[in-house]
Amino acid sequence: MTATAPDPQHTDPARSRRALIAGSVGNFIEWYEFGVYGYFATIIAANFFTPDGASDMEALVKTYASFALAFFFRPLGAALFGRLGDRIGRKPLLILVVLLMSGATTLIGVLPTYATIGAAAPWLLTLVRIVQGLSAGGEFGGAVSVMTEFAPRGRRGLYGSWQSFTVALGLLGGAGAAAVLATALPEQDLADWGWRVPFLLALPLGLVALWLRLRLEETPSFERARTAGPLTKPSAGEVTKAIVLGIGRLMGWSAAGYTFLVVMPSYLQTTLNATFQQALVATVLANLGFALAIIPAGVLSDRVGRRPVMLAGAISVIVLAFPLLNLLQDPGAPSWAKGLAVLVAGVAVGLMAGPGPAMLAEMFPTTVRYTGLGLAYSLSNAVFSGSAGLIITELIKTTKDVDIPAYYVVAACVVSAVALAGLRGSDHREELRG
């Protein structure tokens, strides 16, 4: 497949900015909700998964099982919406997925609990999260396709990094909402009804996202592919190989990102006996480090390539994971040191997340880009992000080994480092494939 010629509209600043904002806003809502769900996991467990006689740890495992199930519907959503997006365009599918996502998130805020309707409550919650998983699976491929296909020459790393940056903003937004409510409300009110408020906020956020996406134009790359007539598509084997390789390159980001940025609050509370407020502060600091590193990492990858920046992130996690966890486990360690440690952990994940979207976009041609990069990302997240809380919590429960999170992220990052080493150094300077 030959590289496509540059399109003059490809670098139009106004169109590029609109695409960047419209692509980013859905990511914010998606990860805001997943963050809120993770931060309120212990409260959700008590409200939906704790019949009489069940232990707190057992309820938390069930909560994370529901969390993981939604992630395993992401690949289905990526395949379904991605195939349509590669056929009829990026815009209509991005409108549909943001409607599904914001609607399902709002529903969580009004669902009846176990105390109200009994065993139906966890099933209803799980059904809503399945809808979220399907829509989230279609979100990433479309959003990254739009951002990178509209990106000016030599700035795909920057534009793609906004996908990851809005992930960080969404997680920070969720943490901020949880922290405000935890501070403003008595503990009982927070457990009874206060946890619902952040989910209900998805409704106005979704309306804003819908308005932005209705104004979005179709990408130049897709328009060229549509008007050029029948194009030779890569074989199923080539696409499958690229997806598997993409999963390997992303799994460190997926595992470390969710372990440090989302699962951390429940780990600190249930394993290290931290308070809810202490766990949230640690998580906010980790997400802050993540957010601060993403865009600089994307910009740097436009200059030196995706490989060295992402490798630096994976190797940093491998080196720092055990010292970080041991520091958090030490009751005598100063608070500033613990705060700095989780901040640095977030930075390491940000080095992988910044160049990651552009790296994926460069692996697939226009005719299968929405589907290919969406499947690589969603499969990686299904296995290594969505299952992180369940795997870590269950293994700690079984083995009593509090170092399980470090083993988990190190193993994933070792595989990613090997896969990233094979990246071509010139991909960031070439046009996206047609």
Side-chain angles (χ1 to χ4, degrees):
M1 188 72 64
T2 58
T4 58
D7 188 314
Q9 294 180 320
H10 194 64
T11 56
D12 177 47
R15 297 179 80 209
S16 296
R17 283 195 298 270
R18 285 197 298 271
L20 192 61
I21 295 169
S24 299
V25 68
N27 295 313
F28 176 86
I29 296 172
E30 173 191 344
W31 291 93
Y32 164 84
E33 187 282 330
F34 275 96
V36 167
Y37 191 92
Y39 303 140
F40 282 120
T42 52
I43 293 176
I44 291 172
N47 277 287
F48 287 89
F49 295 96
T50 313
D52 293 339
S55 69
D56 290 342
M57 182 63 79
E58 180 184 346
L60 189 61
V61 168
K62 291 178 180 178
T63 303
Y64 278 130
S66 174
F67 192 78
L69 183 63
F71 269 87
F72 278 97
F73 275 85
R74 283 186 172 210
L76 180 59
L80 172 64
F81 295 118
R83 185 171 177 81
L84 290 171
D86 283 328
R87 283 187 171 188
I88 66 176
R90 289 39 169 141
K91 176 181 176 176
L93 273 300
L94 283 176
I95 290 171
L96 176 59
V97 296
V98 82
L99 285 171
L100 289 173
M101 187 189 311
S102 53
T105 301
T106 304
L107 273 177
I108 291 181
V110 297
L111 284 179
T113 63
Y114 199 99
T116 304
I117 61 169
W123 286 107
L124 284 175
L125 178 63
T126 300
L127 179 62
V128 172
R129 292 203 59 77
I130 287 172
V131 174
Q132 287 178 313
L134 288 169
S135 60
E139 170 66 28
F140 181 87
V144 173
S145 293
V146 164
M147 292 175 180
T148 56
E149 289 173 3
F150 267 114
R153 180 190 289 273
R155 302 182 72 185
R156 279 198 303 270
L158 168 62
Y159 271 58
S161 69
W162 275 88
Q163 190 281 334
S164 299
F165 185 61
T166 48
V167 169
L169 291 182
L171 292 173
L172 282 170
V180 167
L181 288 166
T183 303
L185 295 177
E187 188 173 336
Q188 190 59 49
D189 287 346
L190 184 67
D192 289 344
W193 60 267
W195 63 270
R196 296 181 182 273
V197 174
F199 293 102
L200 296 174
L201 289 176
L203 181 58
L205 290 173
L207 293 175
V208 171
L210 176 62
W211 178 74
L212 289 168
R213 289 189 170 179
L214 286 170
R215 299 174 67 241
L216 181 67
E217 300 172 58
E218 196 51 77
T219 72
S221 296
F222 183 81
E223 290 289 8
R224 287 198 301 274
R226 180 159 54 185
T227 58
L231 296 177
T232 303
K233 294 185 178 182
S235 68
E238 290 175 315
V239 175
T240 301
K241 181 180 177 181
I243 289 171
V244 171
L245 186 57
I247 292 170
R249 291 170 177 172
L250 290 182
M251 61 187 287
W253 167 18
S254 299
Y258 252 74
T259 299
F260 291 143
L261 308 179
V262 177
V263 177
M264 186 69 73
S266 297
Y267 170 78
L268 292 174
Q269 290 175 80
T270 59
T271 305
L272 303 185
N273 299 315
T275 66
F276 184 66
Q277 288 82 359
Q278 288 172 334
L280 277 176
V281 168
T283 308
V284 167
L285 286 172
N287 277 281
L288 180 61
F290 178 56
L292 289 174
I294 289 169
I295 292 181
V299 172
L300 183 61
S301 77
D302 281 332
R303 297 182 180 180
V304 304
R306 319 299 179 207
R307 181 176 58 199
V309 182
M310 295 186 73
L311 268 176
I315 293 169
S316 295
V317 172
I318 293 169
V319 171
L320 295 173
F322 281 98
L324 162 66
L325 217 58
N326 292 336
L327 182 63
L328 293 177
Q329 293 161 2
D330 182 2
S335 297
W336 67 264
K338 293 183 177 181
L340 180 61
V342 294
L343 184 77
V344 170
V347 169
V349 178
L351 292 176
M352 292 183 280
M359 179 272 295
L360 274 182
E362 291 158 359
M363 293 179 65
F364 299 93
T366 300
T367 51
V368 295
R369 183 169 296 124
Y370 195 142
T371 306
L373 68 88
L375 277 171
Y377 181 79
S378 61
L379 286 167
S380 176
N381 275 270
V383 177
F384 302 104
S385 290
S387 300
L390 179 62
I391 292 170
I392 290 170
T393 305
E394 185 63 36
L395 284 177
I396 291 174
K397 176 184 172 185
T398 304
T399 67
K400 311 302 181 185
D401 186 346
V402 295
D403 287 335
I404 290 297
Y407 287 112
Y408 183 69
V409 299
V410 166
C413 284
V414 166
V415 175
S416 272
V418 173
L420 287 166
L423 271 171
R424 290 196 312 159
S426 61
D427 283 350
H428 65 292
R429 291 192 293 267
E430 298 175 2
E431 287 290 318
L432 288 174
R433 290 186 292 161

